[in-house]
Amino acid sequence: MRALIVPTGCSGIDELRIEQRPEPKPGPLQVLLRVRAVSLNYRDQAVVTGNYFGGKASRDMILLSDGAGEVLAVGDGVTRWRPGDRVMPIFSQVPPAGSPGAPALPLGSPLDGMGAEQVVCYEDGLVAIPEHLSFEEAACLPCAAVTAWHALMCAGRPVIPGDVVLVLGSGGVSVFALQLARAAGAQVIATSSSDDKLTRLTALGAAAGINYRTTPDWDAEVMRLTGNHGADCIVEVGGAGTLARSFRSLAHGGKIGLIGVLTGPAGDTNPHAIMLKGGTLHGIFVGNREMFERLNRAISVNRIRPVIDRVYEFDQAHAAFRQHVSGNFIGKVVIRL
Ligand SMILES: NC(=O)c1ccc[n+]([C@@H]2O[C@H](COP(=O)([O-])OP(=O)(O)OC[C@H]3O[C@@H](n4cnc5c(N)ncnc54)[C@H](OP(=O)(O)O)[C@@H]3O)[C@@H](O)[C@H]2O)c1
């Protein structure tokens, strides 16, 4: 079978390889999947360039945390799944070579990921795909959508109708947050580097968009747009470089889901604004099975479809990564396997 490999010491997209690997076999309580599609997250770029936590790849590793496929075969003792079931992996998994009770780790670093035609997972590491979604759409959910759901619905007070939700940028996490917040009856304000992308975000349901390049004081604009109320929930994917403005954009008693590092690791953020507003800051690390299953119910009931910018074939994986690194996309970039 073919697998997308990030080689030991990898520092760039040109070094990625598509290799033949032996077909894996499911052990007791394990499930063999035929992966049909995978999607790219920002962290996959970091893994490829050697900037993910832990630095460069220390072994030849199968890339990508997010995918979707169908069950080909099950090992002894499996009760949750049957051949033909359509499934997605939870972001953090028990290593296939470990006992079922071992600690879970993220797919696609440090564990081998979903970028292969066949993978093996423990049965507990999978959830069912909502019926109305294709494999390509389902492949977008495990990291980005679960993270957005966690920030909106599980961290602190869940978002309710009438809340103002601020999403930063137009990537995977932020576009899911927009869609889910709209389904919850919230008003969404989106920021982006591009007016064209803001037009697309408005078409997806954002009430207002702010270009953070041409309006660097976007926090003041959030306050103006909301009549000085601010955002009740902020999906913070920027990190150190945007956090001070997020604090200033927050409503009294509001919450910030601290998710991303798009502006790098260092900064000198003044936290006074969040203190004076009685706000809360929640560190978010993707999410667990229960969150993923509740998200799937919300996606099914609201007939939400992930926003896919482009689907590539497996032998175009390098091109998919180049588009993702360029930032010239909204939502998700997908590879079909
Ligand atoms: N903690 C967790 O569990 C978790 C889970 C998932 C992701 N993350 C992190 O969250 C971040 C987003 O991940 P992703 O996969 O959704 O990214 P992505 O799909 O690669 O999207 C990146 C987008 O972010 C926007 N952006 C870049 N710099 C920005 C800035 N200074 N201010 C506002 N927006 C900016 C850009 O959109 P525009 O061109 O529209 O500006 C860019 O296209 C990453 O740092 C990732 O590592 C963390």
Side-chain angles (χ1 to χ4, degrees):
M1 62 140 193
R2 293 182 300 167
L4 179 61
I5 304 294
V6 57
T8 308
C10 185
S11 58
I13 296 169
D14 292 344
E15 296 169 50
L16 297 180
R17 296 194 301 256
I18 295 176
E19 280 182 3
Q20 284 294 330
R21 290 267 179 120
E23 290 177 4
K25 301 266 179 291
L29 301 178
Q30 291 183 335
V31 173
L32 176 66
L33 302 185
R34 172 66 171 93
V35 180
R36 294 291 179 193
V38 289
S39 79
L40 276 56
N41 289 289
Y42 184 81
R43 78 183 281 271
D44 302 310
Q45 295 179 24
V47 172
V48 171
T49 55
N51 292 307
Y52 195 57
F53 305 116
K56 294 185 179 186
S58 58
R59 64 186 178 89
D60 289 6
M61 190 169 55
I62 301 175
L63 260 176
L64 299 169
S65 59
D66 285 14
E70 64 201 308
V71 174
L72 278 185
V74 298
D76 289 345
V78 168
T79 55
R80 278 182 188 267
W81 308 109
R82 293 184 302 199
D85 284 346
R86 299 185 336 128
V87 293
M88 304 166 283
I90 300 165
F91 179 79
S92 289
Q93 294 273 323
V94 172
S99 67
L105 296 166
L107 289 167
S109 183
L111 300 184
D112 278 329
M114 294 296 289
E117 286 168 329
Q118 295 185 19
V119 302
V120 160
C121 301
Y122 279 100
E123 65 168 339
D124 293 350
L126 299 167
V127 297
I129 294 175
E131 271 181 22
H132 70 291
L133 297 187
S134 65
F135 286 122
E136 288 82 2
E137 290 167 330
C140 301
L141 301 186
C143 178
V146 175
T147 301
W149 178 260
H150 186 169
L152 296 172
M153 297 299 175
C154 310
R157 171 175 77 64
V159 166
I160 55 173
D163 276 354
V164 176
V165 173
L166 173 63
V167 302
L168 305 185
S170 58
V173 172
S174 302
V175 172
F176 274 120
L178 187 168
Q179 293 176 293
L180 294 166
R182 289 294 295 129
Q187 179 189 34
V188 176
I189 299 176
T191 72
S192 175
S193 61
S194 143
D195 288 344
D196 285 348
K197 290 183 182 181
L198 287 173
T199 302
R200 294 170 75 187
L201 296 175
T202 309
L204 286 167
I210 307 170
N211 186 323
Y212 61 82
R213 292 255 162 84
T214 54
T215 308
D217 293 338
W218 48 265
D219 48 323
E221 185 63 5
V222 171
M223 297 310 286
R224 190 190 69 76
L225 286 166
T226 57
N228 243 13
H229 175 82
D232 301 289
C233 172
I234 302 180
V235 178
E236 228 307 343
V237 293
T242 49
L243 203 47
R245 291 190 189 280
S246 288
F247 288 160
R248 295 202 290 270
S249 306
L250 196 63
H252 280 268
K255 66 172 182 177
I256 298 176
L258 181 57
I259 294 167
V261 293
L262 289 168
T263 59
D268 55 355
T269 304
N270 180 340
H272 284 171
I274 195 169
M275 178 180 72
L276 296 173
K277 290 175 171 179
T280 45
L281 183 63
H282 300 266
I284 305 288
F285 189 66
V286 192
N288 57 26
R289 161 185 286 283
E290 190 192 349
M291 293 175 194
F292 202 165
E293 288 177 337
R294 292 198 74 88
L295 161 74
N296 287 338
R297 286 203 288 278
I299 284 178
S300 296
V301 168
N302 292 285
R303 309 298 283 182
I304 291 173
R305 305 201 91 103
V307 175
I308 296 177
D309 194 277
R310 183 157 173 195
V311 179
Y312 290 84
E313 300 302 326
F314 199 5
D315 58 6
Q316 301 173 306
H318 294 80
F321 269 86
R322 282 193 200 96
Q323 183 190 357
H324 205 252
V325 167
S326 76
N328 186 20
F329 69 96
I330 74 161
K332 300 293 288 181
V333 172
V334 168
I335 303 172
R336 196 182 286 131
L337 270 68

